Amino acid sequence: MIKVHCFVSCVCEVIKKTKGVDHRPYYFGVWDADFDVLDNGVLTYHSDQIDHDFFQTWYEMLYGIKLYKWYDEKQSKQENINKLLGLVENKSPHQHVMVMLDLSMLPERENKFHQRPFPHYVMLESTENEEEWFMYDPDFRWEGILPKERILAAIQEPTVKGGYYFDSETIIAPTTETVEAYFNTCIKLDCNPLTDAVTEIMKKSIAGKERLSKLPTALKQLPVIAIRKYAYEHAFAFFWEALGREEEGFDTWCDEIERLVTGYTTIQYRAMKLAMTQDLLLVENIFVKLEEQNQLEFKIKQGLQECFQAWLTLQHKKEVML
């Protein structure tokens, strides 16, 4: 499965390693996870207006694990760094330490989105060498030892601030009732926030021709947010497996999800062309594609809703039999 959200990937890693506990329901919250449109019209996956309280709350409700926010924005960078040093050096085998850093400051790491800065959550552990740390990045499937000084420099960047720790010793499997409540909270059958936001950015840009040149910057982070749509795959896989359905049907939905993700790339490219040429005749094609995205995602959500209802019926039957 493609990883789609660094915070979610970090906390799910311990779930995946726990027998009898399924991490996939946690991804219900990812396909429409929060993003922001700044005052200057720039779409962004990270801003001061975005926090992880929603994921923090549901992680505990689903899996019984409390996430503790160790990073205090009211304190200085150095005070928070000192906290991090203590947490990493003194953590128990069951404890896990997460921190946000600027991944673009570590050039040996692949940055496929070419973002700078690139706020990103990773997990840290100490090593036998006091000058090195073990860094684990579940989202990009990377792990390795790096100089502690380099990691700390990436954390000290002013564009990043955040960190959590948790103890995985008390993991529980989510109940049917909790999964049901979480799905119903996450599924938005009457709107597609990302497509709506891009549509609004486009409308404001064409209102004054001089703003068209800003479109590439406004939509630069669209691919970073678009990959979250792969979270639909996690949900379909979870329900499909429980229902014992044929794999061919699952593959068909995966193809639709892939089409949705790549559709945003098409929109971004068309917007870049519009910015370069200033040719307003290109606008119609962009809005047509946006409407296609809307209809495709509604189709995916309806298919997932059907799977969820079938799964829920099956769970209730099993409970009656018990």
Side-chain angles (χ1 to χ4, degrees), residues 23-40:
H23 69 285
R24 292 173 296 186
Y26 194 53
Y27 278 82
F28 297 169
V30 174
W31 52 67
D32 280 330
D34 288 345
F35 55 85
D36 196 10
V37 179
L38 304 179
D39 292 340
N40 60 359

Side-chain angles (χ1 to χ4, degrees), residues 250-273:
F250 171 72
D251 290 340
T252 299
W253 281 116
C254 288
D255 289 341
E256 295 289 72
I257 295 163
E258 180 71 23
R259 193 157 66 90
L260 179 67
V261 175
T262 57
Y264 287 112
T265 302
T266 300
I267 289 167
Q268 185 188 31
Y269 287 160
R270 288 181 182 178
M272 291 169 65
K273 185 176 180 181

Side-chain angles (χ1 to χ4, degrees), residues 90-201:
N90 300 310
K91 79 177 196 67
S92 70
H94 291 285
Q95 285 183 332
H96 306 271
V97 180
M98 296 167 53
V99 66
M100 184 190 293
L101 49 71
D102 182 354
L103 196 61
S104 69
M105 296 295 292
L106 300 171
E108 61 270 73
R109 292 292 320 282
E110 178 189 3
N111 181 354
K112 64 182 179 180
F113 297 112
H114 307 293
Q115 301 284 339
R116 184 179 180 91
F118 192 10
H120 189 69
Y121 273 105
V122 298
M123 307 180 83
L124 299 174
E125 293 184 17
S126 60
T127 66
E128 293 181 359
N129 184 340
E130 292 184 1
E131 303 301 318
E132 296 177 330
W133 270 346
F134 176 81
M135 191 169 90
Y136 187 37
D137 181 356
D139 205 49
F140 287 162
R141 295 184 179 91
W142 186 93
E143 61 181 54
I145 294 174
L146 291 172
K148 181 164 68 174
E149 185 179 347
R150 299 274 320 288
I151 296 174
L152 289 175
I155 296 168
Q156 287 171 331
E157 283 294 293
T159 52
V160 295
K161 49 187 177 181
Y164 296 81
Y165 72 89
F166 58 99
D167 193 315
S168 60
E169 204 168 13
T170 58
I171 293 176
I172 59 171
T175 64
T176 298
E177 290 76 13
T178 311
V179 172
E180 178 185 6
Y182 187 49
F183 182 87
N184 286 329
T185 300
C186 296
I187 194 76
K188 297 176 180 178
L189 296 173
D190 58 348
C191 68
N192 297 309
L194 180 56
T195 300
D196 290 346
V198 175
T199 301
E200 192 61 27
I201 289 171

